[in-house]
Amino acid sequence: MRIDGIELRLVRLRLREPFRISSGVTRDRRILLLRIRTDDGAGLAECVAGETPHYSCETLHTARWALTEHLAPAVLGGSFDGPAAVAAALDAAAKGHPMAKAAIEMAAWDAAARARGVPLAALLGGDKTAVPAGVSIGLQPSDEALLETVDAFVAQGYRRVKLKIQPGRDVDMVRTVRRHFPELPLTVDANAAYGAESLDHLAGLDGLGLLLIEQPFPADDLSLHAALQQRIDTPVCLDESITSPARCRDALALQACRMVNIKPGRVGGLTASRDIHDLCADAGVPVWIGGMLESGVGRAHNVALASLPNVKLPGDTSASRRYWDRDIVTPEFTLNDDGTVTVPTAPGIGVDLDEAFLAEIEEDVTRLGP
Ligand code: OSB
Ligand code: MG
């Protein structure tokens, strides 16, 4: 494929409810959409970087800069064997900036799948027609509010609930939820809010029947995660720590986790995501697909990735309605009666932009290339 043009569109979406995690709160979600034009047709993706550098160092601002100044110029006019070659060219052009790189690389995957007339899931090697959906619940002001929220999502049919935790809102809070929902597949996510002094305290989560404990410690600290994993039976799952296939290999070698959350934006795209999926499969480590409060565009990529064989747990791939009154794609993602989301079967990511709605919420359009 030859990349002839790249278009960046910044849109603003309002979350149905603010989303609070240990490191900050999101109310409005500005999203950078990216469309590449190739000699074989177009492809679509979204950059998952947020407003602030609280999840990782990337923001909308740094992503837009990296895309405009370094990444787009490195691939515009170039011919590539496929999306993996695009990923390699992006890596050669700049260190870091995985979310910015992923936006181009994932659009290349969509273009490649559309050009072949196959769904992205099939091109990636997926073998599922629908994927079980979990939901990630932000920090709530009280246990009562949390129980009500959990109850509402369980009633909708979600197959797994993830609770955000932070110091002061952890073991007792989770025990309360567990008491009210004895059978519910339940996980917790700390977004790196704890340190070595909390090892004993976090071990108190063991015995609450959690499927996994996600990213308790800072991203760089693999050995601290290994120390916790050695002490507890509940699997430790890494999110922020897994920044590349090489990093994943180290985490597995150190036994820092027994499960892995894959987010394509965090690792620079779908090529690296699939490599991490395969590494984990070889090590007997189950993976699942996380989320970054995506619109339907990023959600479509995530759902396609979730169709791969070693994705063994429900992900944060919820329906559009969990986040948005109105999504920017048609068709929107809906929750099936059995708590699954259907993997699109139309070519590429299988959804298209709702251009009428986009015209209302678009803040900026930048065209790069001829
Ligand atoms: O840690 O998984 C996370 C949202 C923003 C940033 C980080 C995370 C999250 C979520 C929500 O947990 C995932 C989603 O539902 O999109
Ligand atoms: Mg997480």
Side-chain angles (χ1 to χ4, degrees), residues 7 44 70 82 98 116 130 152 188 192 216 228 240 242-243 253 275 298 316 319 348:
E7 184 185 75
L44 198 61
H70 296 284
R116 284 175 181 70
V188 296
L228 179 64
E240 285 91 327
I242 305 296
T243 50
D275 289 348
D316 289 337

Side-chain angles (χ1 to χ4, degrees), residues 11 56 69 92 102 104 143 152 154 162-163 190 223 251 253 279 304 321 349:
V11 303
S56 73
E69 298 295 322
I104 294 180
D143 284 359
V154 169
K162 161 165 137 184
L163 308 175
S223 55
L279 271 171
R321 275 296 286 177
I349 61 173

Side-chain angles (χ1 to χ4, degrees), residues 1 3 5-7 34-38 41-44 103-104 107-108 111:
M1 71 171 61
I3 300 182
I6 294 180
E7 184 185 75
L34 186 147
R35 195 203 300 269
I36 64 167
R37 218 163 19 84
T38 80
L44 198 61
I104 294 180

